[in-house]
Amino acid sequence: MNEERDFNHLRTNQVQISQGIAIGFDEIERRLDYIREQLIEMKAYLIQNQGTIRGE
């Protein structure tokens, strides 16, 4: 009986750890999407203002 309880406890812990990892990866993906959007905006700004930035 104790073995079954211990096994179920370990299985529950493994599920919780897996869920935590998945949530962490989702957060990383969200942050990378934000960074990607910011880089695209910066690139567009730099392309649009090349002459102004160089002083031309």
Side-chain angles (χ1 to χ4, degrees):
M1 193 63 157
N2 286 338
E3 294 85 9
E4 185 177 345
R5 186 192 71 224
D6 290 345
F7 177 77
N8 287 332
H9 180 70
L10 290 172
R11 184 173 55 188
T12 301
N13 282 349
Q14 182 62 39
V15 168
Q16 290 173 342
I17 290 169
S18 296
Q19 290 171 341
I21 291 170
I23 290 169
F25 276 117
D26 287 344
E27 177 64 18
I28 290 169
E29 188 173 2
R30 186 188 68 78
R31 290 180 184 205
L32 288 174
D33 286 342
Y34 175 77
I35 291 169
R36 184 180 303 112
E37 291 171 9
Q38 296 299 307
L39 288 172
I40 290 169
E41 287 183 27
M42 291 168 61
K43 182 177 178 180
Y45 175 81
L46 290 172
I47 289 170
Q48 184 179 11
N49 296 296
Q50 277 181 336
T52 308
I53 294 172
R54 290 182 187 164
E56 296 174 2

